[in-house]
């Protein structure tokens, strides 16, 4: 018996949210969008996700208004996926889930999230302990922690090794990215 994709018998806002973001890979796509990943091949190589699954997740996240599809090149036509305000609103959830995962499953910190204005590491709810305010996502500085590999295999992970504000587009080498995407697709198939 196949599992359904909804929780029709549940009268619960969490159940409705899980209908949208509860499928495998979905929150990782949203996480990457917050990190500034926008292009299909960038998602593909950074996540190591099967193409069909990625296409389905991007289509669903766009239909739900969490991502917005924007044309960045006309010839040949190419689109990117930009996170919307609705998607940005998932930041506290992803922040909390990441902290929970680090505390319970992984000892070494992979990334630091700091208030860009003062450099203070954010508290568990995205607040700046020094300033006493909740930090807007665009003012969050992401820096690599000691748990990240200093020489990752894919170009997106290499780009994310540099300190950067969330939401800023990731810039990768298109030639290297295409080769990595091809290798990734072959290993998944």
């Amino acid at each position: 018996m196949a599992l359904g994709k909804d929780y029709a018998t549940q009268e619960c806002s969490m159940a409705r949210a899980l209908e949208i973001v509860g499928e495998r890979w979905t929150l990782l796509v949203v996480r990457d969008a917050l990190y500034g990943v926008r292009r299909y091949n960038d998602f593909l190589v950074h996540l190591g996700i099967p193409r069909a699954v990625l296409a389905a997740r991007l289509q669903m996240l766009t239909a739900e208004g969490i991502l917005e599809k924007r044309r960045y090149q006309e010839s040949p036509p190419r689109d990117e996926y930009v996170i919307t305000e609705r998607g940005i609103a998932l930041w506290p959830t992803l922040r909390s889930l990441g902290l929970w995962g680090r505390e319970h499953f992984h000892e070494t910190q992979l990334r630091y999230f700091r208030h860009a204005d003062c450099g203070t590491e954010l508290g568990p709810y995205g607040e700046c302990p020094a300033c006493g305010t909740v930090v807007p996502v665009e003012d969050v500085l992401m820096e690599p922690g000691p748990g990240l590999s200093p020489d990752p295999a894919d170009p997106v992970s290499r780009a994310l090794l540099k300190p950067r504000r969330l939401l800023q587009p990731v810039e990768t080498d298109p030639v290297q990215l295409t080769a990595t995407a091809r290798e990734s697709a072959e290993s998944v198939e």
Side-chain angles (χ1 to χ4, degrees):
M1 178 175 175
L3 291 175
K5 293 197 180 251
D6 65 19
Y7 300 95
T9 62
Q10 298 290 312
E11 293 183 20
C12 172
S13 56
M14 186 184 300
R16 174 64 182 132
L18 286 172
E19 289 175 359
I20 311 261
V21 298
E23 289 186 309
R24 185 174 177 183
W25 296 106
T26 303
L27 285 177
L28 295 177
V29 172
V30 174
R31 177 208 61 193
D32 275 12
L34 285 163
Y35 287 1
V37 176
R38 292 183 170 191
R39 297 184 177 171
Y40 181 89
N41 275 345
D42 289 349
F43 285 110
L44 187 69
V45 301
H46 190 241
L47 295 172
I49 184 173
R51 289 179 183 273
V53 173
L54 177 59
R57 297 304 181 271
L58 291 172
Q59 183 178 16
M60 183 274 305
L61 288 167
T62 302
E64 291 295 336
I66 294 168
L67 298 177
E68 179 182 306
K69 192 173 180 178
R70 290 187 193 161
R71 178 74 32 106
Y72 71 89
Q73 179 180 306
E74 290 299 330
S75 183
R78 296 197 190 279
D79 298 314
E80 62 183 7
Y81 298 87
V82 180
I83 196 157
T84 64
E85 289 300 318
R86 192 173 194 184
I88 290 169
L90 286 165
W91 164 245
T93 302
L94 290 171
R95 170 96 178 122
S96 294
L97 190 58
L99 290 172
W100 182 82
R102 185 177 83 214
E103 181 180 329
H104 294 282
F105 300 106
H106 200 280
E107 297 175 18
T108 308
Q109 188 157 0
L110 298 175
R111 300 186 191 286
Y112 294 104
F113 295 95
R114 303 184 187 280
H115 187 190
D117 291 348
C118 71
T120 303
E121 188 169 0
L122 298 183
Y125 305 103
E127 77 282 5
C128 175
C131 299
T133 61
V134 174
V135 179
V137 174
E138 60 272 8
D139 292 337
V140 173
L141 181 67
M142 180 176 68
E143 297 176 339
L148 282 180
S149 168
D151 188 29
D154 72 273
V156 176
S157 292
R158 283 194 294 280
L160 293 175
L161 284 176
K162 299 176 187 123
R164 58 183 295 105
R165 285 183 188 237
L166 294 183
L167 306 179
Q168 289 184 334
V170 170
E171 299 295 328
T172 56
D173 176 6
V175 173
Q176 189 176 28
L177 188 64
T178 302
T180 306
R182 197 170 23 258
E183 291 168 10
S184 177
E186 289 169 359
S187 69
V188 172
E189 294 172 10

